[in-house]
Every structure is written in structure tokens, then in C-alpha cells.
């Protein structure tokens, strides 16, 4: 067996086990064949990725593969979105540039996520059914912020980019951001369909969590085999450690991105775990996600997970009392752990109060100081060539790591771009907040809104500690689209006075 294929049997064995447990957790879906479809879609894409000699073979095979899972009956738009959520993290998001000709050097970089979007999301835009609960373009407030941020990102390039490069950048941005947002904000015709997409994403995250724990124990990054098999250099194929432990990353490319993936999954899991038939399996799923998060050693994501839990307490009934109890328990644990030698390493791993990699905290502070100084000098549309002023931050790997997504956005697009980006999630959460306060909305709908609001705030916090690279942008826009879909699907259909009068007349 070729050396890069040695990881494949381990991934497939874990996948078969995970989807078998999923069948026990959701027996109704297992009887309908939904779990089986998800299992074979994941396994087939994984096998093709590992055995393909190049990304071009993989990208050409993708449409054929996904078509086999879309042809059976059902809501194809919902199924396409569900498959995309399942498969986005099935393969590392590594790629290669499509070579150009003449004066065009390269067209764009073909990556796993783009091959998946071309095969699933692009046809969905054309074939998506129209209806009163699927508004057209700019029919939702969040649409305006998404389009405004897209326009600002292109506007800052105008003075420096050629027409060809501007078109290329617009195309790539649309595929990576506009397309996921549009499909996930419009594809779902029912809450059950939306929950299916959440479930698919969570299943992949749980599988990656199991593999991450294996990576941490065996010190073996399994998915680094994919770029090796495709003969591609990927600057994220690095062996990172913290306190002697491997920082597991699974297919996410980096432990920071993997932590982001799992915080998002924990929020989604809170929504779909209520459907799990056995309480023990529900707890097993939670432990799997927390185990993967621990294996990532991504401390910002640890804090994000804590924030998620706190927000869910606050938004639920009896929030203040439960929050007080949680705070007392957390302080007590830290106090005890700091005195017990067997648990002292846990405290040392914590950010701000621990001693492990304390220099990373200093780096982030210095990054913020330099960035704020640059932004103050050119606040509105970013700082042209900002990396030239940040040489003192260049690290041993030869990179200037801007591990704060908001700082990166402000440096690239200024305060205007940052306001548009934050506005995407603020407007989405505003719709959900108004929904949860509506007296006509059911308790289950309010709980779903609470989870999405808490999840959005938690992942927005995690963005303070990580870069928006690999699949983080796609996941952000997927989350925004899911929030918009939830708000429109859960909103009560209010009848006009004429409709109510006619209804009363009929009953008389």
C-alpha cells in the first residue's frame, strides 16, 4: 500500500462506526435510508480523494458522484445543501491553480470546496423552486449586508487590480461566499429540511473529532496524506505541538480552524440532539465533540465553547440562577486543579492564566497594537500594503500570522468593510431575536432561535482568535444563511383582516 493511503482504512473504519451509531440514534432516518445515503456519500468522496492522483481527477469526478445522491426523489435543493454541509470537511481544502494562456497567468485556484460548490450549489441556484417563503434577491435585510461587504472587498482592489484580475476576484468571492449564503438562506422549505443539514454537518464534525483524538494519541495527522497524494505543497501541512501534545486538526488544515469547526458543531448539536432516541447516545455525541475540541488544543475555541454554554444558560429559563451555579463550579474547578499536581497541567493550558505558550498571547497583543495604529491612519477602506508595515511580526515559518479575523478585515477593507461583515450576523441575529419575542412563536421555535443566536455569538468570538482561511469563510456564510432560513421558516404566517373575515364566515 502506498504510504499516503495508510490513513484511508482508519478513516473509513471510523466512518462506518460513526454512521452505524447514527443509525441507532435516529432509527427513523435509518429506516428511510437517509443515514445510508449520507454514509456512502461521505465514504465515496473520501475514497476518491485519497486514490485520485491529482485534484483535477477528483474535481472531474465530483459532479458524477453527487449526482448519484441527488437523483432520487425528494426536495433536491434541500438535499444539495445537506450534502454540501456533510462533505465540506470530508477532504482538506487544498487546491491548485487552473493555468491560463496568453496574458492570463492563472484563472483561479481549484480547491475541494469549490469543486463541491460547482457540483452542488451552482446547479441548486438554477433549479431551486420559488415560493412565498423563498424571497428573491435583496428580499431579506441580511442580503444587503452580504452584498455590501462583497462590493467593498472589490472596491478596495479597483486602484490596483487589472480588469481581468478584478473579474477573477469577483468570481472567486462569489463562489466562496455569495453562493453558500444564497443556497442556505433559500434552499430549505421546512424546518425538518434545515435540521437535516445541521445533522449532516454535526455527523462529519463528530467523525473528525474521533479522528482528531486518534491523531493526538498516535501523533499522526491523517489528512496530510491528501495533498501528498495530489503532489501539492500545502503550507498548512505542519506538525504543531503544545506542551508536548500534537495539536490535532483532522481535515480542517490547522488546529485553530478545527476548533472553529467544533464550536459551530456544538451549537448545531444542541439543536438536533433532542431528536436522538437514546439519552446515552446523546451524551456520547457531546463527549465526542468535546474530546475533539480538547485534542485541537485551540484555547480560543475552548473559550468560545464556554461562551456558547453561558449564552445558552442566559437565554434559557432561570438563566441567572443557573449562570451563578456554573460560575461557582468553574471557579471551584480552577482552584482545585491549581492545587492538585495531576490536574495542574490543565490550568497551565488555559489562556491568560496558564504558562504554556504564553508568548502567543504577547504576539496577539502586539499584533493588535500595530494593527490599530495602521487602521487609525487609514480607517475607512483599509491600509494598502499593510503587511509591509508589520515586519516585526514575521515568525519563524516566514509568515506574518494575522490571527484575528476582525483585524484582518479592518486592515483589508477598513471600518466600512468591518461594519458590513458584522452587519451580516447582527441583522441575522436581530431577525431571530424578534422571532423569539413573538408571542405566537412556539417554545420549540424559540429554543432553536436561542441556539442559533448563541452559536453565532460564540463563533464570532472565536474569530477574534483565528484567521478566516481554509473553510472558515464558507462556514460563516453557511451559518448566516441558516439563520436567515430559520427566521423566515419559523415566522408565523399572519393572515390579513380580509382572510380572517372570510375564514370566520366559512366557519359560521
Amino acid at each position: 500500500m502506498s504510504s499516503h493511503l495508510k490513513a484511508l482504512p482508519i478513516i473509513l473504519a471510523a466512518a462506518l462506526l460513526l454512521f452505524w451509531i447514527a443509525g441507532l440514534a435516529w432509527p427513523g432516518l435509518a429506516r428511510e435510508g437517509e443515514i445510508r445515503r449520507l454514509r456512502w456519500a461521505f465514504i465515496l468522496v473520501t475514497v476518491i480523494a485519497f486514490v485520485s492522483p491529482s485534484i483535477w481527477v477528483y474535481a472531474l469526478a465530483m459532479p458524477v458522484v453527487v449526482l448519484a445522491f441527488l437523483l432520487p426523489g425528494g426536495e433536491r435543493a434541500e438535499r444539495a445543501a445537506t450534502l454540501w454541509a456533510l462533505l465540506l470537511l470530508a477532504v482538506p481544502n487544498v487546491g491548485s491553480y487552473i493555468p491560463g494562456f496568453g496574458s492570463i497567468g492563472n484563472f483561479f485556484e481549484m480547491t475541494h470546496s469549490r469543486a463541491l460548490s460547482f457540483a452542488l450549489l451552482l446547479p441548486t441556484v438554477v433549479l431551486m423552486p420559488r415560493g412565498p417563503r423563498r424571497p428573491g434577491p435583496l428580499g431579506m435585510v441580511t442580503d444587503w449586508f452580504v452584498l455590501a461587504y462583497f462590493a467593498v472587498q472589490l472596491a478596495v482592489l479597483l486602484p490596483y487590480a487589472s480588469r481581468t484580475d478584478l473579474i477573477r476576484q469577483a468570481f472567486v468571492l462569489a463562489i466562496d461566499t455569495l453562493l453558500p449564503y444564497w443556497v442556505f438562506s433559500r434552499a430549505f422549505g421546512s424546518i425538518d429540511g434545515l435540521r437535516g443539514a445541521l445533522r449532516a454537518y454535526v455527523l462529519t464534525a463528530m467523525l473528525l473529532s474521533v479522528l482528531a483524538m486518534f491523531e493526538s494519541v498516535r501523533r499522526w495527522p491523517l489528512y496530510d496524506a491528501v495533498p501528498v497524494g495530489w503532489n501539492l505543497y500545502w503550507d498548512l501541512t505542519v506538525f504543531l505541538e503544545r506542551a508536548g501534545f500534537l495539536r490535532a486538526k483532522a481535515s480542517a488544515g490547522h488546529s485553530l480552524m478545527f476548533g472553529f469547526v467544533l464550536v459551530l458543531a456544538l451549537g448545531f448539536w444542541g439543536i438536533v440532539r433532542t431528536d436522538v432516541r437514546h439519552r446515552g447516545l446523546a451524551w456520547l455525541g457531546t463527549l465526542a465533540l468535546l474530546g475533539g475540541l480538547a485534542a485541537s488544543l485551540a484555547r480560543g475555541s475552548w473559550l468560545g465553547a464556554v461562551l456558547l454554554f453561558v449564552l445558552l444558560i442566559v437565554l434559557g429559563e432561570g438563566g441567572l440562577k443557573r449562570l451563578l451555579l456554573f460560575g461557582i463550579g468553574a471557579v471551584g474547578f480552577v482552584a482545585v486543579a491549581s492545587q492538585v499536581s495531576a490536574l495542574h497541567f490543565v490550568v497551565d493550558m488555559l489562556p491568560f492564566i496558564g504558562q504554556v505558550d504564553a508568548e502567543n498571547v504577547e504576539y496577539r497583543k502586539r499584533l493588535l497594537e500595530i494593527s490599530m495604529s495602521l487602521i487609525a491612519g487609514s480607517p475607512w477602506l483599509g491600509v494598502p500594503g499593510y503587511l509591509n508595515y508589520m515586519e516585526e511580526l514575521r515568525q519563524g515559518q516566514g509568515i506574518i500570522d494575522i490571527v484575528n479575523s476582525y483585524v484582518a478585515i479592518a486592515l483589508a477593507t477598513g471600518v466600512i468593510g468591518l461594519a458590513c461583515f458584522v452587519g451580516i450576523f447582527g441583522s441575522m441575529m436581530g431577525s431571530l431575536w424578534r422571532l423569539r419575542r413573538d408571542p405566537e412563536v412556539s417554545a420549540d421555535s424559540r429554543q432553536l432561535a436561542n441556539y442559533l443566536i448563541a452559536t453565532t455569538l460564540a463563533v464570532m468570538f472565536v474569530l477574534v482568535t483565528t484567521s478566516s482561511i481554509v473553510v472558515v469563510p464558507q462556514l460563516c456564510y453557511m451559518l448566516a444563511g441558516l439563520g436567515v432560513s430559520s427566521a423566515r421558516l419559523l415566522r408565523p404566517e399572519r393572515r390579513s383582516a380580509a382572510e380572517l373575515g372570510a375564514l370566520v364566515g366559512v366557519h359560521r
Side-chain angles (χ1 to χ4, degrees), residues 51 66 165 178 433:
V51 303
V66 300
D165 191 46
L178 297 187
W433 185 264

Side-chain angles (χ1 to χ4, degrees), residues 68-108:
F69 294 94
L70 290 178
L71 280 179
E75 178 61 78
R76 291 181 184 173
E78 290 184 354
R79 183 170 293 176
T82 299
L83 277 177
W84 192 88
L86 175 82
L87 299 175
L88 179 64
L89 288 154
V91 179
N93 199 33
V94 62
S96 180
Y97 280 92
I98 299 176
F101 57 88
S103 60
I104 302 175
N106 294 296
F107 283 109
F108 66 93

Side-chain angles (χ1 to χ4, degrees), residues 180-201:
Y181 170 76
W182 176 263
V183 171
F184 279 88
S185 63
R186 265 76 175 180
F188 302 103
S190 67
I191 287 296
D192 286 342
L194 186 144
R195 291 171 73 93
L198 300 180
R199 188 184 304 112
Y201 177 82

Side-chain angles (χ1 to χ4, degrees), residues 20-358:
W20 175 72
I21 295 175
L24 299 178
W26 293 286
L29 294 174
R31 287 192 297 270
E32 295 169 5
E34 182 64 17
I35 298 296
R36 183 177 66 253
R37 277 193 293 270
L38 296 178
R39 178 184 67 215
W40 289 117
F42 185 93
I43 287 176
L44 189 54
V45 167
T46 301
V47 170
I48 292 174
F50 272 84
V51 303
S52 294
S54 71
I55 189 173
W56 308 116
V57 174
Y58 172 78
L60 290 173
M62 187 61 63
V64 179
V65 172
V66 300
L67 187 62
F69 294 94
L70 290 178
L71 280 179
E75 178 61 78
R76 291 181 184 173
E78 290 184 354
R79 183 170 293 176
T82 299
L83 277 177
W84 192 88
L86 175 82
L87 299 175
L88 179 64
L89 288 154
V91 179
N93 199 33
V94 62
S96 180
Y97 280 92
I98 299 176
F101 57 88
S103 60
I104 302 175
N106 294 296
F107 283 109
F108 66 93
E109 187 180 21
M110 176 61 77
T111 61
H112 158 68
S113 68
R114 289 170 190 162
L116 196 63
S117 294
F118 285 134
L120 281 171
L121 301 189
L122 201 56
T124 301
V125 172
V126 179
L127 301 175
M128 190 184 301
R130 300 293 184 261
R133 288 217 162 188
R134 284 187 171 109
L138 302 179
M140 308 290 287
V141 175
T142 306
D143 297 354
W144 291 90
F145 284 101
V146 170
L147 192 61
Y149 183 50
F150 177 80
V152 171
Q153 287 176 284
L154 295 180
V156 298
L157 297 175
L158 277 174
Y160 315 102
S162 65
R163 181 184 302 177
T164 302
D165 191 46
L166 196 63
I167 294 172
R168 181 191 299 114
Q169 293 294 335
F171 176 76
V172 169
L173 268 178
I175 293 297
D176 288 348
T177 60
L178 297 187
L179 195 54
Y181 170 76
W182 176 263
V183 171
F184 279 88
S185 63
R186 265 76 175 180
F188 302 103
S190 67
I191 287 296
D192 286 342
L194 186 144
R195 291 171 73 93
L198 300 180
R199 188 184 304 112
Y201 177 82
V202 167
L203 285 174
T204 297
M206 285 182 178
L207 173 58
L208 296 181
S209 293
V210 173
L211 295 173
M213 288 184 276
F214 176 87
E215 287 183 350
S216 183
V217 172
R218 295 297 302 272
R219 301 175 62 82
W220 179 9
L222 296 169
Y223 281 93
D224 282 357
V226 173
V228 171
W230 290 352
N231 294 312
L232 295 176
Y233 168 75
W234 199 25
D235 56 2
L236 292 178
T237 307
V238 292
F239 195 90
L240 294 179
E241 293 182 303
R242 173 163 284 163
F245 295 96
L246 174 69
R247 297 179 62 178
K249 58 183 180 179
S251 65
H254 194 285
S255 61
L256 294 179
M257 279 81 251
F258 186 50
F260 178 91
V261 165
L262 294 185
V263 172
L264 185 60
L266 281 168
F268 290 172
W269 175 236
I271 297 172
V272 300
R273 75 190 295 268
T274 56
D275 303 331
V276 174
R277 184 170 182 177
H278 301 289
R279 182 177 298 180
L281 293 178
W283 278 108
L284 183 63
T286 303
L287 290 175
L289 291 173
L290 292 176
L293 190 61
S296 73
L297 297 178
R299 299 183 295 190
S301 296
W302 292 357
L303 293 178
V306 172
L307 177 61
L308 172 64
F309 186 69
V310 169
L311 289 170
L312 291 173
I313 291 176
V314 171
L315 293 173
E317 295 183 4
L320 291 178
K321 180 180 178 181
R322 294 166 62 198
L323 181 61
L324 179 62
L325 292 174
F326 172 77
I328 294 173
V331 172
F333 171 79
V334 172
V336 171
S338 62
Q339 300 301 318
V340 178
S341 57
L343 296 176
H344 195 268
F345 81 97
V346 176
V347 178
D348 272 344
M349 296 287 281
L350 296 177
F352 304 112
I353 63 175
Q355 300 301 314
V356 174
D357 287 349

